Amino acid sequence: MSFVDTHDFSVGLVLRVLNIPASTYYDWRARRTSPSPRRCGDEWLLVLIEEIRASHEFAGTYGSPRVWLELCRRGVRVGRKRVERIMRENGLRGAYLRKGWKGGSTKQNPRHIAAPDLLERDFTAVAPNTKWVADLTRILTGEGVLWLASVRDAFSNKVVAGDPVHVRIPIWCSPRSITPCSPATSAAGS
């Protein structure tokens, strides 16, 4: 239909040659200038959907079911399928696991002996640098898996060492050492 508008030919002549009824052409032009109430509603819902998906850090991963639930919580009466359609038409997708992903990343050895619990599950510290706690976190990204290794002081809850690119944790002082570890002496040993 835009072909008719872009050329200087007579509208009636072009429509006759293309075998298109004149009413179809004029209805199409009317819809372009003033969209239907449904189209206006879809644009309003799209704004709300984008607002929901930008509301906090993880909301960008919401798929249509969660977005629909959030719309219902806000008092917006809309069908789940309509939210699905609007999100699909605008390229909005929720996070999903890749095909073939069965479960966790840890393959446990049944004969493995667990490491001793030197802190006896007591993660409170009365002074800085008396207890350090290590953590290894698996982060899924668009480019693959990123492992984040970090060591934090249990007293101040500050990260003492961490490297998201290479899994590298500084050498710790022996648990039997009399003097507490310090970030400067431990980092120098790695």
Side-chain angles (χ1 to χ4, degrees), residues 13-104:
L13 174 67
V14 173
L15 293 175
R16 247 190 330 254
V17 169
L18 294 175
N19 200 21
I20 297 173
S23 61
T24 302
Y25 169 73
Y26 289 112
D27 285 344
W28 172 79
R29 278 188 65 177
R31 279 193 306 273
R32 280 187 55 199
T33 57
S34 61
S36 68
R38 179 180 174 188
R39 177 60 58 196
C40 292
D42 285 353
E43 290 173 5
W44 175 73
L45 280 171
L46 179 61
V47 170
L48 286 177
I49 290 168
E50 289 173 342
E51 180 184 312
I52 288 169
R53 288 175 52 99
S55 62
H56 59 82
E57 182 180 0
F58 299 108
T61 63
Y62 283 6
S64 59
R66 276 193 177 169
V67 170
W68 176 74
L69 280 173
E70 185 61 32
L71 286 169
C72 290
R73 285 187 191 116
R74 293 183 180 193
V76 179
R77 293 187 49 162
V78 63
R80 185 178 50 85
K81 296 284 188 179
R82 185 174 184 189
V83 173
E84 280 180 23
R85 178 182 52 81
I86 293 170
M87 289 181 67
R88 183 177 54 250
E89 287 174 354
N90 292 284
L92 301 174
R93 295 177 60 171
Y96 61 94
L97 292 176
R98 289 190 194 100
K99 186 176 180 182
W101 183 258
K102 297 282 190 253

